[in-house]
Amino acid sequence: MAVPKRKMSRSNTRSRRSQWKAAAVSLVSCPQCRSPKRPHMACPTCGTYNRRQVIEPSA
């Protein structure tokens, strides 16, 4: 098992952790109702996916 030989400094640790962040959720517009939705998911507003009705609309 690999074990570090030296203690990693605070600046090196923090500069490494600065890249560890969450990505923003990507949104596309629904072709039916033009509301923002996540790609490859059914639209929560109108309930369509790939121009077909797949679920009942939420509101």
Side-chain angles (χ1 to χ4, degrees), residues 34-55:
R34 303 287 181 228
S35 66
K37 70 173 193 81
R38 296 186 63 189
H40 309 288
M41 303 277 285
C43 178
T45 308
C46 64
T48 59
Y49 180 73
N50 204 15
R51 301 197 187 272
R52 288 191 331 247
Q53 189 73 31
V54 291
I55 58 171

Side-chain angles (χ1 to χ4, degrees), residues 20-47:
W20 196 79
K21 51 188 167 281
V25 176
S26 61
L27 296 174
V28 296
S29 63
C30 175
Q32 292 287 113
C33 63
R34 303 287 181 228
S35 66
K37 70 173 193 81
R38 296 186 63 189
H40 309 288
M41 303 277 285
C43 178
T45 308
C46 64

